[in-house]
Amino acid sequence: MSFYLENRQISTIWVIDDDPNARDSYGFTLEDMGLEARPVTDLQDGTLAALRQSVGSTGAVLCDYHLKKRDYSRHNGDYVVARCFQKGIPGVLCTSIHGAPINRQDLRYIPGWLKTSPMNETNLRGALEHCIEELTIGYRPSRRPWRTLVRVDNMDEERRGLTVVVPAWSTRTKIQLHFDDIPGNIRELAEPDRRFHAHVNIGAEDSRDLYFCKWEPQ
């Protein structure tokens, strides 16, 4: 069985989760949708590269965010889904944890993100459709990046993070970034009230959906 989204056939979903019970649970849902579920039992070392070569044109990945338990993977799900997307593979990232530290640079490559649970046919199809749409057509308005001003509000060296304000999106909302979210040369220059330019999807409705890339020192 399979279904078509944006003229692309999807028949097989690779299920990535460090919990075997969760892999089985996702698999039952996918099978109810008429899709073949392929559980991924290990994602260490070269297995991510091997996975990307195996998925094929009718495949996609369904990936949990937390993957580092049980020595299952060196990376969390945001990294995995983003690397798959960059190879043209549709991927859906699943996490119901509010404030999960999704890497803001990788978020650019994660148009399919399920923030609620449980997963069902409707929200999975919607997430896959968003992903395939961006792979074939381009950014949706809420995901399109624009060059804009970013002001550093505060630094938190202890937690290896900082807060920023993007005036073109909101003059009041402070957005939490981790040091890993920004390039090293920008991080070295960052201090309260320092201004930079970056490409940000300022059409996003939720601050969790904002991604930052192509940073420039002022």
Side-chain angles (χ1 to χ4, degrees):
M1 296 290 290
S2 61
F3 57 68
Y4 287 84
L5 296 170
E6 298 292 339
N7 295 318
R8 181 164 179 167
Q9 181 184 17
I10 299 295
S11 59
T12 306
I13 306 288
W14 271 255
V15 181
I16 303 171
D17 196 302
D18 63 349
D19 183 349
N21 294 326
R23 292 197 296 270
D24 290 342
S25 178
Y26 284 139
F28 295 143
T29 301
L30 294 169
E31 289 170 3
D32 288 342
M33 295 170 62
L35 296 169
E36 179 185 0
R38 293 269 186 95
V40 177
T41 58
D42 176 74
L43 205 62
Q44 286 285 357
D45 300 325
T47 52
L48 176 56
L51 171 70
R52 292 188 299 179
Q53 293 178 352
S54 302
V55 171
S57 61
T58 61
V61 299
L62 175 64
C63 187
D64 186 48
Y65 172 73
H66 288 293
L67 298 179
K68 294 184 178 179
K69 298 177 183 178
R70 304 179 178 90
D71 293 325
Y72 179 84
S73 173
R74 295 173 55 194
H75 305 284
N76 277 322
D78 49 354
Y79 179 92
V80 173
V81 173
R83 301 294 84 75
C84 287
F85 182 90
Q86 288 175 306
K87 289 292 185 180
I89 299 169
V92 175
L93 178 67
C94 298
T95 178
S96 59
I97 302 172
H98 187 84
I102 309 299
N103 184 282
R104 297 280 185 167
Q105 296 185 91
D106 281 340
L107 191 54
R108 178 185 182 186
Y109 306 108
I110 308 176
W113 178 13
L114 292 182
K115 308 184 189 73
T116 59
S117 60
M119 183 192 76
N120 56 48
E121 180 175 356
T122 300
N123 59 30
L124 175 59
R125 284 180 67 102
L128 280 171
E129 187 171 18
H130 288 159
C131 191
I132 294 171
E133 180 181 345
E134 289 200 11
L135 284 171
T136 58
I137 301 173
Y139 291 109
R140 289 172 288 131
S142 64
R143 292 261 306 158
R144 186 178 303 280
W146 300 93
R147 184 177 182 270
T148 190
L149 183 72
V150 179
R151 177 178 61 83
V152 178
D153 176 74
N154 191 36
M155 303 290 295
D156 189 342
E157 297 287 346
E158 183 176 344
R159 297 185 179 181
R160 293 183 50 76
L162 67 161
T163 56
V164 300
V165 174
V166 182
W169 188 77
S170 170
T171 58
R172 296 183 178 181
T173 304
K174 297 176 182 179
I175 301 156
Q176 185 73 41
L177 302 181
H178 191 271
F179 283 166
D180 290 342
D181 292 330
I182 57 179
N185 64 318
I186 300 297
R187 185 167 65 242
E188 292 174 0
L189 296 172
E191 60 184 2
D193 208 38
R194 182 70 187 253
R195 282 145 168 88
F196 300 98
H197 278 102
H199 284 65
V200 184
N201 56 323
I202 57 177
E205 295 183 3
D206 190 325
S207 63
R208 290 184 294 170
D209 294 324
L210 290 172
Y211 65 78
F212 297 72
C213 61
K214 299 181 180 179
W215 287 80
E216 307 168 22
Q218 271 281 74

